[in-house]
Amino acid sequence: DVKVTQSSRYLVKRTGEKVFLECVQDMDHENMFWYRQDPGLGLRLIYFSYDVKMKEKGDIPEGYSVSREKKERFSLILESASTNQTSMYLCASRHGGRNTGELFFGEGSRLTVL
Amino acid sequence: AQSVTQLGSHVSVSEGALVLLRCNYSSSVPPYLFWYVQYPNQGLQLLLKYTSAATLVKGINGFEAEFKKSETSFHLTKPSAHMSDAAEYFCAVSDLLTGGYQKVTFGIGTKLQVIP
């Protein structure tokens, strides 16, 4: 089975702290994504990466950055956490190219910023 | 850019009743469409997808969806609801970007409650 693993299920951080959310997939997928999930807003794309060292901004990149140094790992970074970044963060991966393949999701990381 | 509208953020049905979750999309070209399900405290998993083959798509757990181009709709149905169907359901559309890559846009989700 495809497995997408997010390093932390629950985190509590303070305003201004730097936060790292890690995501690892074990299926050699080229594409990886970070979404944010909020009630009433659905899933919104923060950043995505089509291959190693590549990154593209999604719909809401402000306040976030990403790193993809290895194919299996995609990290989301909050340089200076703010209370409005309290949310559920979902990582997903998919085979690359002009495909219509499904996204495989991790179980999510629920971040609370105090 | 594509957009997805899910009508009804909360839907309640009785156990054994028909489940109908509505999804409309905006597109000027035939899209790729998906339904995902999210159980409490879990990530999303694929229920079914439409990729321009048959317009009636069957998925897991007895769900199916029909692609209607004239109505720009992709509603999800199940003839008889089970308690285990209680979850949040997301409709999604795939957008072909410059360079051939695809970006997936999600609706806001519909929470399905099944009443015993």
Side-chain angles (χ1 to χ4, degrees):
Chain A
D1 284 348
V2 174
K3 195 161 180 68
V4 179
T5 304
Q6 294 185 229
S7 56
S8 304
R9 292 293 306 274
Y10 301 94
L11 303 93
V12 179
K13 299 291 182 181
R14 296 200 177 276
T15 301
E17 280 193 84
K18 191 169 186 176
V19 181
F20 292 88
L21 299 179
E22 301 281 329
C23 176
V24 177
Q25 50 92 6
D26 65 0
M27 283 301 290
D28 202 36
H29 285 168
E30 288 80 10
N31 302 167
M32 296 189 75
F33 305 80
W34 275 106
Y35 286 90
R36 172 177 171 160
Q37 181 179 11
D38 299 287
L41 297 176
L43 276 72
R44 293 178 292 167
L45 182 63
I46 304 172
Y47 266 96
F48 55 102
S49 169
Y50 286 120
D51 211 334
V52 178
K53 297 192 185 293
M54 293 177 63
K55 58 184 178 183
E56 296 286 340
K57 292 180 179 179
D59 299 317
I60 53 164
E62 295 78 19
Y64 303 94
S65 62
V66 290
S67 173
R68 183 110 182 258
E69 295 298 316
K70 294 186 177 181
K71 191 174 186 179
E72 67 272 17
R73 188 180 298 271
F74 191 37
S75 302
L76 180 69
I77 303 154
L78 288 67
E79 292 289 341
S80 178
S82 62
T83 55
N84 62 14
Q85 293 178 310
T86 291
S87 186
M88 170 72 88
Y89 291 88
L90 291 168
C91 176
S93 72
R94 183 184 68 188
H95 280 298
R98 290 175 173 263
N99 71 84
T100 58
E102 67 181 282
L103 293 171
F104 292 87
F105 282 87
E107 293 192 320
S109 297
R110 186 169 293 281
L111 172 66
T112 301
V113 182
L114 302 175
Chain B
Q2 305 274 17
S3 67
V4 176
T5 302
Q6 290 185 242
L7 298 176
S9 58
H10 290 80
V11 170
S12 293
V13 299
S14 298
E15 191 174 15
L18 171 73
V19 176
L20 171 60
L21 304 182
R22 300 177 186 274
C23 173
N24 289 86
Y25 65 91
S26 68
S27 174
S28 58
V29 297
Y32 300 119
L33 294 157
F34 307 83
W35 276 100
Y36 284 83
V37 61
Q38 184 181 34
Y39 298 103
N41 297 316
Q42 294 186 24
L44 281 69
Q45 64 184 81
L46 184 71
L47 266 182
L48 50 81
K49 67 179 180 183
Y50 167 77
T51 57
S52 74
T55 56
L56 182 62
V57 182
K58 294 188 183 297
I60 62 172
N61 302 334
F63 284 93
E64 61 182 37
E66 186 173 7
F67 172 68
K68 291 187 176 180
K69 184 178 178 181
S70 60
E71 299 177 7
T72 60
S73 69
F74 191 56
H75 302 330
L76 182 70
T77 61
K78 182 174 180 178
S80 176
H82 295 169
M83 296 299 295
S84 59
D85 294 328
E88 190 160 17
Y89 293 81
F90 291 90
C91 184
V93 62
S94 190
D95 197 352
L96 191 63
L97 303 175
T98 302
Y101 300 113
Q102 294 191 12
K103 169 190 164 187
V104 179
T105 301
F106 288 83
I108 64 169
T110 298
K111 281 191 176 175
L112 177 66
Q113 180 187 23
V114 182
I115 302 166

